[in-house]
Amino acid sequence: MAIVSAPGWFYYEENNKRLGEVSYLIEEKGQVLALNHTYVDPSMRGQNIAQQLVDAVCDLARSKDAKVKPDCRYAAVLFRRFDEKYADVAMEDGPNANSCSI
């Protein structure tokens, strides 16, 4: 699986069809990546694609010595479930973390 990077996005595409995506906003002069949306096509669910996309945002944050604000319910749950994995980049849940649909 190849994850593609674009400004504000990481996504997984197959045969020119986007099957998974995560978007983020850059805040606080680049010191915070607000992860605000994740989506995986139903045909691809259960393959950890969403987690891999969130991990790509976290790796980007690490490379910039930045933090990630999980402003999406999926990301917020993932950060709580695997708190040790994300402890170095995680901020408190954003204000929309409970309203984002998974």
Side-chain angles (χ1 to χ4, degrees):
M1 176 180 86
I3 293 176
V4 179
S5 173
W9 294 90
F10 283 95
Y11 59 92
Y12 172 63
E13 193 173 77
E14 204 172 82
N15 299 321
N16 293 321
K17 181 179 179 188
R18 194 175 284 197
L19 297 171
E21 63 189 21
V22 62
S23 65
Y24 61 91
L25 300 172
I26 299 172
E27 298 179 346
E28 297 184 35
K29 298 181 181 179
Q31 294 304 301
V32 174
L33 304 180
L35 206 159
N36 61 0
H37 165 75
T38 55
Y39 173 77
V40 173
D41 186 270
S43 68
M44 302 299 291
R45 292 185 183 162
Q47 298 179 46
N48 290 323
I49 292 172
Q51 184 173 357
Q52 291 173 43
L53 292 165
V54 169
D55 287 351
V57 174
C58 292
D59 289 343
L60 177 63
R62 288 180 183 106
S63 75
K64 296 181 176 293
D65 199 27
K67 296 291 185 181
V68 177
K69 178 172 60 173
D71 204 14
C72 162
R73 184 171 36 173
Y74 174 81
V77 168
L78 191 66
F79 277 30
R80 283 192 297 272
R81 186 174 295 156
F82 300 103
D83 60 330
E84 289 181 16
K85 179 178 182 177
Y86 300 108
D88 62 325
V89 294
M91 292 182 70
E92 289 186 27
D93 296 356
N96 300 314
N98 292 321
S99 63
C100 176
S101 60
I102 296 177

